[in-house]
Amino acid sequence: MRLLLILCMLIYGLAMLFILLYSVAQAHLLYRFRLSQKQSTRPAPPAPEVWPTVTVQLPVYNEKYVVERLIDSVAALDYPADKLEIQLLDDSDDETTEIIKKTLLQYPYLKFQHIRRANRSGYKAGALKYGLELAQGEYIAIFDADFTPQPDFLKNTIPYFANPNLGMVQTRWTHLNKDYSLLTRLQALALDAHFFIEQVGRNNQHAFINFNGTGGVWRKTTILDAGNWHDDTLTEDLDLSYRAQLKGWQFLYLPEVESPAELPPVMSALKSQQFRWTKGGAEVAVKHLGKVLRSGKSLQTKYHALAHLLNSSVFVAVLLASLASIPLLWAKVNNQLPPAAFEVAEVMLLSFVVISLVYFQANFLGKSTGINRVAGFVLYYPLFLSVSMGMALHNAVAVWEGWTGRKSAFIRTPKFNLEGRKHTWQQNFYLSLKMPFTTYLEGLLGLLFLGVATWSGAQGEYVLLVFHSMLAVGYLLVFYQSVLSYRRS
């Protein structure tokens, strides 16, 4: 029994140490972000005398709800028509293809190319690579189907490529349907922290940043020099980003340029997206961590790359720490382990305070008033943290598959076009009807931690009471929302 408790203490300690080290990186990113705010505003470069040719790539697969909106938005780009080439990289096998054909008839004056492949080999990466072989543009802008780029997007990004060493420009995602539901508000909170704090903090110190898969522009020669698009991970964007930066190309992040997009409004769609992101991140970590650590980059840059590539592994740490905390709680109540061990563990909980500061700062960068921001943060952040914990099992499975090299198909995230209220999410044809087995486990974990939280309170263990209560709320919310989203009327 004692050996088992020591093993649980070791697992708990290592998991919390990993979270603490990750939070140190987050704290430094917050510091660099704050430093960037005190620096003089970056002047926009002058427009080129002659605008270069740009190819806009729109990878599409079964997007009947949003593809017309996408085409209309791209057609409205304020850029010389003779310098603009737009590729519809259409791998669809449903009515999306006919919608594209009909919509393109409205824009005979633009260079739209409706490109169909013989098969869907390589998924999104394969489509982008196929289109790149046909692209005439010196620069490649990429938008996913749920994005609606602003008319001045290209004129706000292309001038920066006057720097011959610049390989990619990424812009900040904003949210078309942030206020649609509690779930979309929580997602916006998470993404804003990434796009306000993390991307700015990394770029400010010339650390590795990532192309976010959409809402960015590449120099075509950068893509080719880095080895073109690869389809051996589920996050081809992160993979190419690291390959290009390891080759010496510079990246630029422009938080002032907005790229509006739709957030998944239901749990099953969010889980599909999260699984792809977390598993793909783990795959890229396996692929590139060794190269990064052996590179000539500074120790600080390597540390941030380590935290960047392993950020999805935080879910594994949360899952292990939460499960190990149950026997440790029993041991503490029954005096089976020295109190000092728990005091050290409680100090490590400070990492959650640091991470909370990152989200608090991001929350204050929105457009609402100060009072509304504080009220919104107090209301939504505890729920966000709980739901993030409740996603630990689902995302930990994805990370484990990425670490162990288990391959899976590129599962697209269903799009809805709810911003226009043209459809309800229940009518979405692309929603899955099959609920995965892990959803039932999430419900059981919710009940387990509910019982443990009740026991924690009864024993006067109030720190663990908060921890276990948040786990219970998170798992039960994720389970409930999952059950609802897999049931279609």
Side-chain angles (χ1 to χ4, degrees):
M1 175 63 73
R2 188 168 183 81
L3 184 61
L4 180 60
L5 289 176
I6 292 174
L7 178 61
C8 288
M9 193 68 197
L10 181 63
I11 292 173
Y12 183 84
L14 289 175
M16 295 301 291
L17 178 61
F18 179 85
I19 296 172
L20 179 64
L21 293 175
Y22 174 76
S23 73
V24 170
Q26 293 294 98
H28 188 251
L29 291 179
L30 179 59
Y31 165 74
R32 296 299 303 201
F33 169 81
R34 297 286 297 178
L35 189 64
S36 73
Q37 300 301 292
K38 298 178 181 179
Q39 297 170 349
S40 58
T41 305
R42 172 177 50 210
E49 294 183 7
V50 179
W51 289 99
T53 302
V54 175
T55 297
V56 178
Q57 291 189 319
L58 309 175
V60 171
Y61 174 68
N62 293 356
E63 303 287 6
K64 68 177 183 176
Y65 298 110
V66 295
V67 71
E68 184 177 356
R69 182 183 66 182
L70 171 68
I71 294 172
D72 291 342
S73 298
V74 173
L77 286 171
D78 179 17
Y79 203 78
D82 62 328
K83 298 290 186 178
L84 186 62
E85 174 187 61
I86 306 169
Q87 294 181 338
L88 263 299
L89 304 173
D90 179 21
D91 284 347
S92 303
D93 54 18
D94 70 353
E95 62 197 271
T96 301
T97 299
E98 291 304 314
I99 295 174
I100 291 173
K101 291 178 180 178
K102 292 179 181 178
T103 306
L104 292 185
L105 293 176
Q106 302 174 30
Y107 304 104
Y109 52 90
L110 291 176
K111 295 180 183 177
F112 271 104
Q113 297 178 0
H114 189 186
I115 298 172
R116 300 274 293 162
R117 296 191 293 162
N119 57 65
R120 204 185 165 211
S121 174
Y123 305 106
K124 181 181 176 181
L128 293 172
K129 185 175 182 180
Y130 187 86
L132 194 67
E133 295 174 357
L134 307 174
Q136 300 299 310
E138 184 179 352
Y139 303 100
I140 310 295
I142 301 172
F143 297 102
D144 282 348
D146 53 334
F147 275 68
T148 58
Q150 300 293 315
D152 57 358
F153 177 88
L154 292 177
K155 288 190 174 179
N156 284 337
T157 54
I158 294 298
Y160 287 93
F161 286 99
N163 174 4
N165 298 316
L166 184 64
M168 192 279 298
V169 171
Q170 176 64 50
T171 64
R172 178 169 61 88
W173 294 8
T174 56
H175 321 297
L176 292 171
N177 60 333
K178 175 181 177 179
D179 296 324
Y180 180 82
S181 68
L182 174 63
L183 189 60
T184 56
R185 290 189 182 97
L186 298 183
Q187 291 175 74
L189 183 63
L191 288 171
D192 286 348
H194 171 69
F195 282 100
F196 275 124
I197 310 300
E198 294 179 345
Q199 288 286 61
V200 172
R202 293 188 183 111
N203 207 209
N204 179 260
Q205 59 184 307
H206 307 293
F208 288 92
I209 69 169
N210 59 296
F211 168 58
N212 291 105
T214 175
V217 185
W218 284 85
R219 190 187 299 271
K220 183 179 179 180
T221 52
T222 301
I223 299 175
L224 297 174
D225 182 57
N228 215 320
W229 297 100
H230 292 181
D231 61 9
D232 55 347
T233 74
L234 292 180
T235 47
E236 71 294 321
D237 45 9
L238 181 62
D239 172 37
L240 181 59
S241 296
Y242 268 79
R243 284 188 280 119
Q245 289 169 103
L246 284 169
K247 292 279 287 187
W249 288 99
Q250 298 174 11
F251 282 15
L252 178 64
Y253 177 61
L254 299 177
E256 65 272 18
V257 180
E258 298 181 358
S259 291
E262 181 182 288
L263 296 165
V266 295
M267 185 60 72
S268 60
L270 174 61
K271 279 185 169 181
S272 174
Q273 183 186 74
Q274 287 287 307
F275 191 91
R276 190 174 70 250
W277 286 357
T278 51
K279 180 175 180 177
E283 290 174 329
V284 174
V286 171
K287 184 175 180 178
H288 291 303
L289 259 184
K291 298 173 186 176
V292 170
L293 295 177
R294 292 190 299 269
S295 71
K297 303 291 184 179
S298 69
L299 185 61
Q300 180 174 293
T301 298
K302 291 178 181 179
Y303 180 67
H304 277 289
L306 195 70
H308 188 195
L309 290 174
L310 293 178
N311 62 2
S312 60
S313 302
V314 169
F315 291 104
V316 176
V318 169
L319 179 64
L320 292 176
S322 63
L323 293 175
S325 70
I326 299 175
L328 293 180
L329 173 62
W330 177 88
K332 185 177 183 181
V333 169
N334 291 278
N335 299 314
Q336 295 295 308
L337 288 175
F342 297 95
E343 292 173 4
V344 172
E346 289 177 3
V347 169
M348 290 184 179
L349 290 174
L350 290 174
S351 58
F352 290 98
V353 176
V354 173
I355 293 173
S356 299
L357 289 175
V358 172
Y359 287 98
F360 183 76
Q361 175 69 78
N363 184 72
F364 259 74
L365 297 171
K367 297 179 180 179
S368 58
T369 65
I371 295 176
N372 288 338
R373 291 173 191 169
V374 173
F377 185 81
V378 171
L379 177 63
Y380 293 119
Y381 183 70
L383 276 174
F384 163 75
L385 204 56
S386 294
V387 171
S388 297
M389 292 178 177
M391 292 287 288
L393 174 63
H394 175 269
N395 287 347
V397 171
V399 172
W400 180 254
E401 288 190 7
W403 283 350
T404 56
R406 180 178 177 181
K407 296 301 179 182
S408 57
F410 184 103
I411 306 298
R412 57 176 287 282
T413 304
K415 315 299 191 306
F416 294 80
N417 195 9
L418 295 177
E419 183 258 345
R421 303 285 176 170
K422 295 180 180 179
H423 313 281
T424 62
W425 68 261
Q426 292 92 342
Q427 296 172 327
N428 192 294
F429 179 77
Y430 303 123
L431 279 177
S432 173
L433 289 174
K434 184 179 180 181
M435 190 163 67
F437 177 70
T438 52
T439 299
Y440 298 102
L441 292 181
E442 288 164 349
L444 292 174
L445 284 173
L447 294 175
L448 171 65
F449 286 113
L450 181 61
V452 174
T454 303
W455 186 49
S456 299
Q459 299 300 322
E461 299 294 338
Y462 297 114
V463 173
L464 287 175
L465 168 63
V466 173
F467 183 48
H468 292 140
S469 295
M470 294 181 73
L471 284 163
V473 170
Y475 275 115
L476 290 174
L477 273 176
V478 169
F479 170 74
Y480 176 70
Q481 290 293 326
S482 296
V483 171
L484 287 182
S485 66
Y486 284 106
R487 183 174 59 216
R488 193 169 72 219
S489 60

